[in-house]
Amino acid sequence: MDFPRQSTLIVPLAILVTFSSFVLSLAERQKTQDIFSEITTDPSARSSFATDFGNLSKSTPGAVFYPSSPNDIATLIRYSYKSPKPFTISQRGAGHSTYGQTFVPDGILIDMSSLGRNNADCRITVTNGPIPYVDAGGEQPWITVLNATLKYGLTPRIFTDYLYATVGGSLSNAGISGRAFVHGPQISNVYELDVITGTGKTVTCSREVEPDLFYAALGGLGQFGVITRARIALEPAQKRARWVRLFYTDVELLMRDQEKLISMDDSSAVFDFVEGEIVFSVPQVQVIRGGYDFSDSDIAKITKLVTETNGPVYLIDAVAYYDDLTAPLLDQNIHLLLEELHYISGFEFSVDMPLLNFLNRLYYLQLQQTPLGLCTTAGSVLIFPMNRTKWDDKMSAVTPNEEVFYVVSLLWSAVANDTKTLVDLNNQVFNICENYNLGCKKYLPHFTNQEDWKKQFGNKWTTFVSRKKKYDPKALLSPGQKIFTPLELN
Ligand SMILES: Cc1cc2nc3c(=O)[nH]c(=O)nc-3n(C[C@H](O)[C@H](O)[C@H](O)COP(=O)(O)OP(=O)(O)OC[C@H]3O[C@@H](n4cnc5c(N)ncnc54)[C@H](O)[C@@H]3O)c2cc1C
C-alpha cells in the first residue's frame, strides 16, 4: 500500500485514489470518510508498533488506525474488502506476541487500545445475576477486567499468569495458567462474542447462535475476525491465596503429584491452582524468589539443593484460594494432602497473601526489577498440567491427543546477546518432540510455511481453512501469523 509519508493525521492516498473506483452507498461513503481522520502514516506512530514483546524482529506497519468504536473497525474492514485494491489489516492488542504476529508491513495496524482510551468504563459491564458474567471490550487488559469485577466481589474464573495481555489477544490463543485444570483455558469460559469478520460484518455469536464463528474465533489466532466484545464467566472472588511450593529432584514424582492434584474432584480438591517450574541453575533461584518472599535462609537451603543436585530441580506451585468461611479448615486440609505427596522432605514452603496480589504476581515481580522472571540467561521453564476434557475440541485451539497433557513454557531471556542460541535451543526441543513422535503442539505458535501450519492443526486444518474462506475470504486479517497469503485464498 502506498501511503504518503506525512507527520499529521491524514487520509491515506491509496484509499482516496480507489474511493471513486467502486460503488459504496452514500451512507457507507460518509462512514468511510469519518474514519480517515483516525488513520495516520506518521513515522513515529508507525515505528511505535514496529516490534513486539519478543523483540526478535522489526516490521513497521504501513499505517496505524485508532478506532473510536467497533463500527469504525467494521467500516475499515468493509472498505478494504470491497476495494479493488484490498489491503491487509492487523488487530493489535497489547503486542505481547513474540514472533511478529501483529506485523502488517503493507497494510493498516488497528491499535485496539484506542477503543477503550476515553471510555474504558463503558467497555466493561458486570452482570451479577444467578450466572454472573462480564462483557468486556476485546481491547481491555485482563487486569482492568479483574479490577472491575472485584468491585462486585466477582472474578473471571481463570487468568493468564500475566494480566496485561488483552481479552482479544489471549482468547485468540487459549489463555492458560495453573487454573486451567479446573475450568479449562480462558476460551472455555466465554459465553458470547462480538466479532467483526474479514468482510466487515459484525456478528454476535455463542454456542447457540452462529456457533461456527464462535468456535472459529476462540483460539483462532486473529484469522476470522476482530473480537470487540467477550462475555466472560465469573465466579465469587475469594479473599486470600495460600501459595505452597514443593521441591523435587525426580521428575516422575513431580508429574505423579501434579496429576494427582489435577484429578481430585471438587469435593476433595484443596488447591485451585497447580503449576510447575524447572530450576536448572543457581541464578534461577533468584528468579523463583520474585513475587514469593522466600526468607534468606530458605533461599540458602534451595540454593544448596540446586548446587548439590546432579541435574535440574523441579517445583510445584500449588495455591488454595480461600475466604473467612473456608479459612478454619485450610491448614488441616493442606497438611493432610501434603502427606500424600512425594516432594523432598523439608522442602515445602508456604506464604499467604491477598488473592489480587497472587493473581498479579508478575507485576510485583516487575516492580522488584526482575523483568517477568526472565532476567537471567537461563530464564524460566514452567510446566502447566492440563485436563483435556476441559478444552472444547470444536474451537480452533489445538491440543495434543492425550487426556492429561502438559504445556511447557520455555521462557528464555536474551540478556547476553545470545538470542540465536536461545531460539535454536527452543527449536531443538521442538524437533526432539517431533522426532520422537510425541504428538506435541506449539502453544503461541510461529511457523513460516503452510506445511508446518497444516501439521500443527492436524485434523483441524480442513475446518480452519474452510472457516477462513467463509469469514475472511480475502485473507486480510492478522497476516503476521503467516498462515495464509493475503488475497490468494480462493
Ligand atoms: C510476559 C508474558 C506472559 C505471558 N503469560 C501467558 C500465560 O500465562 N498464559 C497464556 O496463555 N499466555 C501467556 N502469554 C501469551 C499471551 O497471552 C499472548 O501472546 C497473547 O496473544 C497476548 O495478547 P495481546 O493482547 O498482547 O495480543 P497481541 O500480541 O497484540 O496479538 C496476538 C494475536 O492476537 C490477535 N488479536 C489481538 N487482539 C485481537 C482481537 N481483539 N480480536 C482478534 N484477534 C486479536 C492479533 O492480531 C495477533 O494475531 C504471555 C505473554 C507474555 C509477554
Side-chain angles (χ1 to χ4, degrees):
M1 230 185 151
D2 184 20
F3 295 124
R5 304 283 177 248
Q6 292 180 16
S7 58
T8 51
L9 287 174
I10 49 93
V11 179
L13 184 61
I15 291 184
L16 270 187
V17 168
T18 54
F19 199 44
S20 55
S21 62
F22 64 103
V23 181
L24 289 176
S25 70
L26 260 183
E28 191 67 14
R29 253 179 200 233
Q30 186 56 52
K31 282 188 203 159
T32 309
Q33 266 165 355
D34 288 348
I35 63 164
F36 283 167
S37 64
E38 296 173 335
I39 300 173
T40 182
T41 54
D42 169 46
S44 74
R46 290 165 49 236
S47 66
S48 63
F49 294 105
T51 190
D52 58 18
F53 192 91
N55 205 18
L56 293 168
S57 53
K58 281 199 173 0
S59 171
T60 309
V64 179
F65 177 44
Y66 301 102
S68 49
S69 72
N71 280 340
D72 291 355
I73 297 175
T75 302
L76 180 82
I77 298 178
R78 259 194 322 272
Y79 184 86
S80 176
Y81 178 68
K82 290 186 177 168
S83 164
K85 288 189 178 171
F87 46 89
T88 45
I89 295 169
S90 179
Q91 58 277 33
R92 170 158 165 145
H96 284 323
S97 297
T98 43
Y99 278 101
Q101 282 91 336
T102 59
F103 289 175
V104 58
D106 301 320
I108 296 188
L109 180 143
I110 306 175
D111 175 16
M112 293 296 292
S113 71
S114 77
L115 281 180
R117 196 158 282 150
N118 300 320
N119 58 353
D121 287 351
C122 313
R123 306 268 310 145
I124 301 184
T125 314
V126 178
T127 302
N128 188 3
I131 302 179
Y133 57 81
V134 56
D135 286 301
E139 76 290 350
Q140 293 295 321
W142 283 94
I143 180 70
T144 316
V145 179
L146 172 61
N147 283 326
T149 59
L150 282 178
K151 289 180 192 157
Y152 296 79
L154 298 165
T155 167
R157 294 165 175 166
I158 163 165
F159 294 94
T160 51
D161 279 351
Y162 187 54
L163 299 181
Y164 297 81
T166 65
V167 166
S170 73
L171 294 184
S172 294
N173 285 290
I176 54 157
S177 71
R179 188 102 174 102
F181 80 91
V182 186
H183 293 299
Q186 289 178 319
I187 51 173
S188 296
N189 293 278
V190 175
Y191 295 135
E192 190 178 276
L193 296 173
D194 283 344
V195 179
I196 304 171
T197 67
T199 62
K201 196 173 161 201
T202 302
V203 182
T204 297
C205 53
S206 64
R207 285 179 175 79
E208 292 77 35
V209 179
E210 300 278 355
D212 189 54
L213 179 58
F214 181 76
Y215 293 127
L218 292 169
L221 304 174
Q223 295 305 300
F224 307 104
V226 180
I227 297 169
T228 54
R229 178 185 63 93
R231 178 165 290 180
I232 300 157
L234 299 177
E235 66 181 8
Q238 304 292 306
K239 283 190 187 150
R240 298 193 63 83
R242 175 73 56 82
W243 183 357
V244 176
R245 299 188 111 177
L246 310 169
F247 284 76
Y248 297 74
T249 49
D250 182 332
V251 70
E252 282 184 22
L253 292 180
L254 170 105
M255 289 170 69
R256 200 197 294 174
D257 285 356
Q258 278 198 331
E259 290 182 24
K260 176 183 175 69
L261 294 176
I262 69 163
S263 64
M264 295 172 78
D265 60 31
D266 282 355
S267 59
S268 59
V270 175
F271 292 117
D272 299 280
F273 180 103
V274 177
E275 217 170 271
E277 199 164 334
I278 308 181
V279 182
F280 292 101
S281 63
V282 169
Q284 270 182 294
V285 176
Q286 293 303 328
V287 179
I288 60 166
R289 181 178 200 172
Y292 187 76
D293 214 14
F294 279 117
S295 67
D296 288 343
S297 61
D298 289 346
I299 283 292
K301 195 168 153 185
I302 297 164
T303 302
K304 189 162 179 282
L305 176 72
V306 173
T307 310
E308 288 173 356
T309 302
N310 186 21
V313 166
Y314 308 89
L315 68 135
I316 288 183
D317 288 298
V319 187
Y321 300 170
Y322 70 99
D323 57 17
D324 297 342
L325 200 67
T326 44
L329 283 179
L330 186 72
D331 286 337
Q332 184 191 333
N333 287 344
I334 291 179
H335 177 75
L336 287 176
L337 180 56
L338 293 197
E339 281 188 344
E340 295 176 35
L341 302 181
H342 302 87
Y343 57 88
I344 307 165
S345 174
F347 280 85
E348 70 280 5
F349 305 90
S350 158
V351 291
D352 208 89
M353 57 182 66
L355 180 66
L356 182 59
N357 291 24
F358 171 72
L359 295 176
N360 205 9
R361 61 201 176 281
L362 291 191
Y363 171 76
Y364 296 103
L365 196 57
Q366 260 179 312
L367 288 186
Q368 292 167 5
Q369 302 198 324
T370 310
L372 303 169
L374 318 177
C375 72
T376 71
T377 39
S380 297
V381 177
L382 306 180
I383 318 170
F384 306 79
M386 300 281 159
N387 286 320
R388 186 154 166 262
T389 51
K390 306 286 179 180
W391 294 61
D392 189 333
D393 211 30
K394 293 199 269 313
M395 294 174 183
S396 294
V398 285
T399 68
N401 196 11
E402 302 273 348
E403 283 316 294
V404 172
F405 65 91
Y406 287 84
V407 177
V408 180
S409 293
L410 307 173
L411 302 171
W412 310 122
S413 186
V415 292
N417 206 14
D418 52 356
T419 309
K420 187 176 176 316
T421 312
L422 295 172
V423 170
D424 286 350
L425 191 62
N426 279 5
N427 288 337
Q428 272 176 38
V429 172
F430 187 68
N431 289 341
I432 290 171
C433 297
E434 288 268 275
N435 293 341
Y436 281 93
N437 263 331
L438 298 184
C440 77
K441 300 289 179 188
K442 274 191 185 173
Y443 183 59
L444 311 173
H446 161 72
F447 299 106
T448 49
N449 67 74
Q450 211 175 60
E451 273 314 299
D452 285 339
W453 279 113
K454 252 187 193 174
K455 248 202 224 163
Q456 163 82 359
F457 281 104
N459 60 12
K460 286 191 175 181
W461 175 246
T462 314
T463 309
F464 198 83
V465 173
S466 72
R467 284 171 168 168
K468 182 72 174 176
K469 287 181 178 168
K470 190 167 162 193
Y471 300 114
D472 183 17
K474 293 188 179 172
L476 303 178
L477 298 179
S478 204
Q481 297 279 5
K482 295 196 166 69
I483 307 175
F484 300 101
T485 308
L487 313 176
E488 285 183 6
L489 255 188
N490 287 315

